[in-house]
Amino acid sequence: MDTKALRQKILDLAIRGKLVPQDPNDEPASVLLERIKAEKERLIKEGKIKRSKKAAKTSDTPHYGNVPFEVPSGWVWCELKELCNKFSTGPFGSMVHKSDYIDNSDYPLINPANIIDGKIDVTKAVRISADKAKELERYILEEYDILLARRGDLSKCAIVINEAIGAYCGTGSFFLHLNGMDARFFSVVYGSTYLQKILKSECVGATMDNLNQGVLENILMPYPPLSEQQRIVAEIEKWFTLIDTLEADSTNLQNLIASTKSKVLDLAIHGKLVPQDPNDEPAIELLKCINPKAEITCDNGH
């Protein structure tokens, strides 16, 4: 069974509204989106967040017409920047040098290499000095921020939780914070074939793929009601747990098969796989016919 393809199929069904049934009692995503836009405008006027450089009034019009695929009633399409309260590139390489790294400090710097299987591994992160940490305060990661690899493997995506809260975004990453979209649902969309195809076609670099913030901000996102996002995430977690079990069972089965083959061969060369027939010509006699001068040492002529 191709479990990788199965996982991908589940993600693709999820972002098309085909994984869980819709609930007509859910608040339509369009209503929530209007509230998000109003709240965002308020925060911009208060100077708490900045308006996206490319955020003209395009977000004031519904995203109908030339959409990537049909979504259920109650869903809408919106650009990612409409949902972002925070979207930032990590510090430039010139801002962090090897001399800033200190073993066992309290300030981990998270790079794409620390994003493993959708989780952030803080234990292997490089660490920076207290002075450098103060200089990089604007890059502190908060709970439920989303961390993305900015170069190389652009499928890397992780949610900031547990030990990663309070760490610092590294030079090879983006981090963003969403309003009105469950961070886990964003991860579902980000890992889907739909979005990954866009990144692979639009974010091509000379030596490695590089994620372009402008491309990402303007990607159309399928946007379900918030309660449905949470139902989708719960359903995916259920299926992925089952797939994990299948993969573990498959690994155990393969190990058992390999062990059994080795045992069978071991029994065979020790004469313990099949019973001996006393009517068989002893091997010692056959060997003498093949090479009369052979020196034979054995305690069993057969």
Side-chain angles (χ1 to χ4, degrees):
M1 178 185 294
D2 187 347
T3 53
K4 183 178 180 180
L6 180 57
R7 290 176 192 271
Q8 201 63 56
K9 182 64 176 177
I10 291 171
L11 296 182
D12 292 338
L13 288 172
I15 68 169
R16 287 167 169 78
K18 297 180 179 180
L19 191 63
V20 300
Q22 281 71 52
D23 185 341
N25 296 316
D26 287 342
E27 179 185 63
S30 58
V31 176
L32 176 57
L33 188 59
E34 287 303 314
R35 284 208 308 273
I36 291 170
K37 287 160 60 177
E39 174 67 9
K40 191 171 183 179
E41 284 299 317
R42 182 183 68 81
L43 293 173
I44 290 172
K45 287 179 181 178
E46 293 176 358
K48 294 181 178 179
I49 63 173
K50 294 182 179 180
R51 188 185 303 278
S52 171
K53 294 179 181 179
K54 297 186 180 181
K57 292 298 181 180
T58 53
S59 59
D60 292 340
T61 56
H63 295 285
Y64 302 124
N66 190 24
V67 295
F69 48 83
E70 294 298 320
V71 293
S73 173
W75 292 39
V76 293
W77 285 95
C78 65
E79 292 174 338
L80 178 60
K81 64 190 174 191
E82 296 179 60
L83 304 172
C84 286
N85 277 356
K86 175 172 63 178
F87 199 144
S88 179
T89 306
F92 292 110
S94 58
M95 296 177 67
V96 184
H97 305 91
K98 286 186 177 180
S99 57
D100 297 314
Y101 298 156
I102 294 182
D103 292 339
N104 303 317
S105 85
D106 295 327
Y107 310 101
L109 191 71
I110 308 300
N111 289 308
N114 305 119
I115 303 175
I116 302 171
D117 295 331
K119 297 179 181 179
I120 299 172
D121 185 358
V122 177
T123 61
K124 296 182 180 179
V126 296
R127 294 174 180 266
I128 53 177
S129 65
D131 288 342
K132 180 56 64 172
K134 187 172 181 60
E135 184 183 329
L136 300 180
E137 279 184 346
R138 67 181 296 264
Y139 301 104
I140 293 176
L141 298 172
E142 299 177 319
E143 188 173 21
Y144 301 126
D145 279 353
I146 298 167
L147 194 67
L148 306 174
R150 190 161 58 91
R151 54 180 180 245
D153 182 359
L154 301 187
S155 68
K156 287 193 170 187
C157 169
I159 300 170
V160 176
I161 56 174
N162 301 331
E163 297 85 355
I165 300 171
Y168 292 73
C169 180
T171 58
S173 304
F174 276 126
F175 65 106
L176 56 115
H177 197 93
L178 300 176
N179 183 18
M181 178 176 278
D182 190 306
R184 297 169 300 170
F185 183 75
F186 173 84
S187 297
V188 170
V189 180
Y190 196 78
S192 69
T193 302
Y194 157 66
L195 199 143
Q196 286 299 309
K197 280 184 177 179
I198 294 174
L199 296 185
K200 288 177 181 176
S201 63
E202 299 289 340
C203 301
V204 179
T207 57
M208 67 173 66
D209 292 345
N210 286 276
L211 182 57
N212 181 293
Q213 182 172 343
V215 170
L216 189 58
E217 282 185 328
N218 289 283
I219 286 178
L220 284 175
M221 303 286 288
Y223 187 48
L226 186 58
S227 53
E228 186 171 348
Q229 294 177 34
Q230 294 163 351
R231 292 197 302 273
I232 288 171
V233 168
E235 186 71 9
I236 289 175
E237 288 176 349
K238 182 184 77 175
W239 280 105
F240 278 19
T241 298
L242 177 59
I243 293 172
D244 288 341
T245 302
L246 290 173
E247 288 176 335
D249 288 345
S250 176
T251 300
N252 291 337
L253 179 59
Q254 293 302 317
N255 290 337
L256 178 60
I257 290 172
S259 176
T260 302
K261 286 182 177 179
S262 177
K263 184 63 176 178
V264 167
L265 295 176
D266 188 61
L267 290 172
I269 65 171
H270 287 86
K272 297 179 180 179
L273 187 64
V274 297
Q276 281 71 50
D277 185 341
N279 296 317
D280 286 344
E281 178 187 47
I284 191 170
E285 297 300 327
L286 177 59
L287 188 57
K288 289 178 180 178
C289 293
I290 295 171
N291 185 0
K293 297 181 180 180
E295 294 184 7
I296 300 171
T297 303
C298 68
D299 56 6
N300 185 332
H302 284 79

